[in-house]
Amino acid sequence: MKDKLQKLQQVALSEIEKTQGLEELEQIKIKYLGRKGELNTTKKSIKDLSNEEKPVIGGLVNKISNTIESKIEEKHNIFYKESIAKKLEKETIDITLPGVTSSRGKLHPLTSTINEITGIFAKMGFSLVESKNSPEVETEYYNFDALNFPPDHPAKDMQDTFYTKIAPFVLLRSQTSNSQIREMEQKLPPLRVISPGRVYRAESVSSRKNNLFHQVEGFMVDKDVTFSDLKGVLNEFTREFFAQQRPTRFRTSYFPFTEPSVEIDVQCIICCGKGCRTCSGSGWLEILGAGMIDPNVLKNVNIDPEQYSGFAFGMGVERLAMLKFAINDIRLFFNNDLRFLKQF
Ligand code: PHE
């Protein structure tokens, strides 16, 4: 028995010595030390031995088992170190390569322009419209009738305004002026409100026109609000927005909801008044419409025009952004081309 065990140890150790890799080593471990392995089988047969032999053989089996085990472990460590060394050699990394960075998101140029415009008016005491008072899906009443549009006004035509199939009088608003009516209906003067948002017009799309664009509406109603308040507020706005003292021009115009009405031009930012393609040779660029709120509009929202007066204005955000950043096609704002968006 003793000899058999000694022999077994010898064979096992030399087999371990000859192994080539971790897998082979694992097989050998199972063969000798596993539950059904050779040493275990011997262990089980110890009970049939004589009492003198039992401790001797038992001790020997344990000793051999330990020897084999530590030899396997030794070999295992060698293989493991070798495999790590091989891996390191194969997988050299170039630490001079630039890392993979995720680029930071930015605000869309229209969003930042809107933020800038509303920020300038906020400094002059204007507060942001309540979003429920500035819906994009609107009725004919708030978009036109309450704003003193006569029933046969051409803007009310299907050719100019998108009507929905919800009901014959439900449309996509063509101007942010609807928010004037909704705010004034609900609140008492003094009021100073700024209202940015999307508007829709049934127009053929070109480099200057899109079916969807953005406006910022603003209005102020109080006792003794005069045209010079309008002038002061809007001059201050253009001065801040274009970041320099740029000449402005107030031209008489017409809107159904303001009287008198004006359009405001700034001196062309490209040619500084000399006349170029951008300003069609005039030296001026139109940036917004404005005027004193028509007494009929105040009556429509139950504000007494004998006691109160106000001014209102509306500006196209795309137009302002195009002037400020020298962009020549309005469609660039809506194509979501990263080459364009990344410039802001
Ligand atoms: N709503 C007008 C437009 O879309 C602009 C405007 C607003 C004019 C307020 C006067 C007062 O053209």
Side-chain angles (χ1 to χ4, degrees):
M1 190 86 181
K2 249 187 188 170
D3 286 350
K4 212 180 124 198
L5 283 167
Q6 298 289 9
K7 186 98 184 124
L8 182 102
Q9 171 171 316
Q10 234 176 31
V11 176
L13 292 181
S14 85
E15 272 182 31
I16 292 166
E17 195 51 50
K18 275 186 247 156
T19 51
Q20 303 286 327
L22 283 169
E23 261 171 55
E24 212 182 317
L25 193 66
E26 190 60 25
Q27 292 307 318
I28 288 176
K29 191 174 175 182
I30 294 167
K31 180 172 165 194
Y32 291 101
L33 304 176
R35 207 152 43 85
K36 290 178 187 159
E38 296 191 24
L39 280 170
N40 228 4
T41 329
T42 316
K43 250 188 202 164
K44 278 179 200 150
S45 64
I46 288 176
K47 64 177 189 315
D48 303 326
L49 298 174
S50 68
N51 283 344
E52 295 90 70
E53 266 183 322
K54 268 181 193 166
V56 183
I57 299 298
L60 189 60
V61 168
N62 281 340
K63 214 178 113 214
I64 291 173
S65 166
N66 288 340
T67 312
I68 292 177
E69 201 172 336
S70 62
K71 181 76 188 169
I72 286 177
E73 199 174 311
E74 197 181 291
K75 200 75 182 165
H76 182 275
N77 286 342
I78 292 170
F79 285 142
Y80 186 70
K81 275 185 196 149
E82 272 175 9
S83 78
I84 297 251
K86 258 193 214 151
K87 219 173 162 186
L88 285 176
E89 207 177 307
K90 242 190 0 209
E91 296 175 8
T92 48
I93 47 167
D94 182 353
I95 55 163
T96 63
L97 277 177
V100 185
T101 53
S102 49
S103 58
R104 259 178 143 197
K106 288 179 191 171
L107 290 180
H108 190 280
L110 289 178
T111 308
S112 54
T113 305
I114 288 173
N115 290 349
E116 192 185 349
I117 296 169
T118 53
I120 293 170
F121 285 103
K123 280 195 279 183
M124 292 192 266
F126 285 74
S127 49
L128 204 61
V129 69
E130 272 185 79
S131 58
K132 72 170 167 56
N133 287 341
S134 186
E136 289 173 30
V137 180
E138 186 54 287
T139 62
E140 224 177 354
Y141 177 75
Y142 287 101
N143 194 73
F144 293 126
D145 301 337
L147 286 158
N148 203 35
F149 279 68
D152 56 352
H153 193 283
K156 293 179 78 168
D157 204 276
M158 297 267 282
Q159 310 273 260
D160 295 304
T161 299
F162 287 114
Y163 284 81
T164 68
K165 292 200 169 107
I166 301 168
F169 53 87
V170 179
L171 44 76
L172 299 182
R173 68 171 173 190
S174 62
Q175 49 184 355
T176 42
S177 305
N178 65 330
S179 57
Q180 281 186 39
I181 304 297
R182 289 184 176 271
E183 283 277 314
M184 287 193 287
E185 255 182 2
Q186 287 172 23
K187 295 170 188 173
L188 292 171
L191 290 170
R192 253 182 286 178
V193 178
I194 196 86
S195 172
R198 268 180 279 205
V199 300
Y200 303 82
R201 285 186 198 175
E203 268 167 330
S204 49
V205 176
S206 70
S207 64
R208 312 200 127 239
K209 283 179 176 168
N210 199 45
N211 290 152
L212 178 163
F213 60 101
H214 297 74
Q215 286 188 331
V216 176
E217 189 89 6
F219 66 94
M220 172 174 176
V221 182
D222 200 352
K223 287 183 172 142
D224 304 320
V225 175
T226 67
F227 195 83
S228 55
D229 294 313
L230 178 155
K231 252 188 121 167
V233 165
L234 293 178
N235 269 337
E236 175 61 20
F237 165 73
T238 51
R239 196 181 62 78
E240 276 221 37
F241 186 78
F242 291 106
Q244 53 190 308
Q245 193 73 51
R246 190 157 279 286
T248 52
R249 175 171 89 165
F250 287 64
R251 234 178 335 101
T252 52
S253 185
Y254 172 78
F255 299 102
F257 39 95
T258 48
E259 180 60 34
S261 302
V262 288
E263 273 173 322
I264 297 171
D265 302 335
V266 288
Q267 195 185 62
C268 180
I269 54 159
I270 309 287
C271 65
C272 292
K274 289 189 203 77
C276 67
R277 240 170 50 126
T278 305
C279 60
S280 320
S282 73
W284 296 93
L285 294 163
E286 184 209 318
I287 56 159
L288 55 84
M292 301 306 291
I293 298 176
D294 194 290
N296 285 337
V297 174
L298 294 177
K299 277 185 213 151
N300 287 340
V301 292
N302 286 322
I303 292 176
D304 182 0
E306 299 295 323
Q307 269 196 54
Y308 291 100
S309 57
F311 64 78
F313 57 86
M315 59 187 91
V317 178
E318 283 77 0
R319 186 163 176 80
L320 284 168
M322 284 167 85
L323 291 176
K324 187 157 175 162
F325 302 121
I327 295 162
N328 59 11
D329 194 323
I330 194 171
R331 292 167 290 197
L332 287 166
F333 290 118
F334 304 100
N335 292 344
N336 287 330
D337 185 331
L338 285 178
R339 287 170 303 177
F340 172 73
L341 296 175
K342 277 186 171 166
Q343 294 178 45
F344 300 94

